[in-house]
Amino acid sequence: MPSTELLIAFFATTAIFAYIPGPAMLYTAAQTMARGRWSGLTAALGIHLGGYVHVIAAAAGLSVLFHAVPTLYIAVKLAGALYLIWLGVSLFRARAQDDAVMPGIEPKSARRAFFESITVEVLNPKTAIFFMAFLPQFIDASATFPVWLQFLVLGTIVNLMFSSADVMCVVLAGALITRLRRSSHAQRLMRRAGGAVLVGLGVHVALQKS
């Protein structure tokens, strides 16, 4: 494994990146506001599992494809952006009866958030680029462990730390929902706010130049 000094720098840098508010934190907060705390937690789990696709891709060097084929990068990015926008719009168009299930744990919504989140994360090429650009800074080619294994171990640590930040967002958003749960009007506003965040994230991703 890398030297102790390199690992300390790795953990410090990862913590900074993980706890700076970003798209994943906003996404899990939006899911929590729209569907409840349990859905927010399953969304965080979905993003976490989807992140391993990028960890494995980085270990295999597949992320280089996005650099070699810019059109592929753009296509995947737009697909992810459109999917986020579609999720946001679907929350705006949700039936009024959905408000009735907000106070409790709705298994169907939680499962939906879980699978949607995996799709969102897999369709996020920026995550692949991040792992490919970030992890090599802490890889020691002369270490006992092979490079691909170092990618997997360090990538898993990064994924876990980012997920801890996502869970923190869910807890905070859930605390807010608990206070507003008795008001059906507030529930509708929270669902629409969640939808607006998802649409905004989709537009932001689509308009980013890199």
Side-chain angles (χ1 to χ4, degrees):
M1 289 296 289
S3 64
T4 302
E5 293 78 10
L6 201 59
L7 286 176
I8 292 174
F10 167 75
F11 278 106
T13 307
T14 300
I16 292 172
F17 275 117
Y19 283 88
I20 291 176
M25 296 174 73
L26 290 175
Y27 176 83
T28 52
Q31 288 284 1
T32 305
M33 290 188 295
R35 292 170 170 165
R37 182 180 297 174
W38 183 245
S39 291
L41 289 173
T42 56
L45 176 60
I47 289 178
H48 180 75
L49 295 179
Y52 286 117
V53 173
H54 298 295
V55 172
I56 294 172
L62 297 179
S63 299
V64 176
L65 284 174
F66 287 128
H67 289 292
V69 187
T71 303
L72 177 62
Y73 173 85
I74 294 173
V76 174
K77 183 183 75 168
L78 290 178
L82 290 173
Y83 187 65
L84 279 171
I85 293 172
W86 178 80
L87 291 179
V89 171
S90 69
L91 290 178
F92 277 109
R93 297 177 61 187
R95 294 174 299 175
Q97 296 95 306
D98 290 346
D99 294 326
V101 302
M102 281 293 290
I105 296 175
E106 219 287 326
K108 185 176 179 180
S109 292
R111 287 195 299 269
R112 184 184 306 165
F114 174 72
F115 289 110
E116 287 175 353
S117 302
I118 292 177
T119 304
V120 166
E121 183 65 4
V122 171
L123 289 177
N124 183 5
K126 277 192 169 295
T127 303
I129 297 298
F130 172 81
F131 278 115
M132 202 62 190
F134 179 70
L135 294 182
Q137 312 304 318
F138 305 97
I139 297 294
D140 185 355
S142 62
T144 304
F145 295 111
V147 170
W148 67 267
L149 183 57
Q150 293 182 56
F151 263 108
L152 287 179
V153 172
L154 295 181
T156 297
I157 294 172
V158 171
N159 205 25
L160 287 168
M161 198 168 294
F162 271 76
S163 292
S164 70
D166 295 340
V167 170
M168 182 186 70
C169 265
V170 171
V171 172
L172 293 176
L176 176 61
I177 288 176
T178 299
R179 296 189 177 186
L180 301 175
R181 185 170 286 170
R182 295 179 181 177
S183 169
S184 60
H185 177 65
Q187 291 172 19
R188 285 193 294 272
L189 287 178
M190 294 296 285
R191 189 186 64 215
R192 290 168 183 170
V197 171
L198 294 181
V199 171
L201 281 174
V203 173
H204 175 71
V205 169
L207 296 180
Q208 278 186 318
K209 294 183 179 179
S210 59

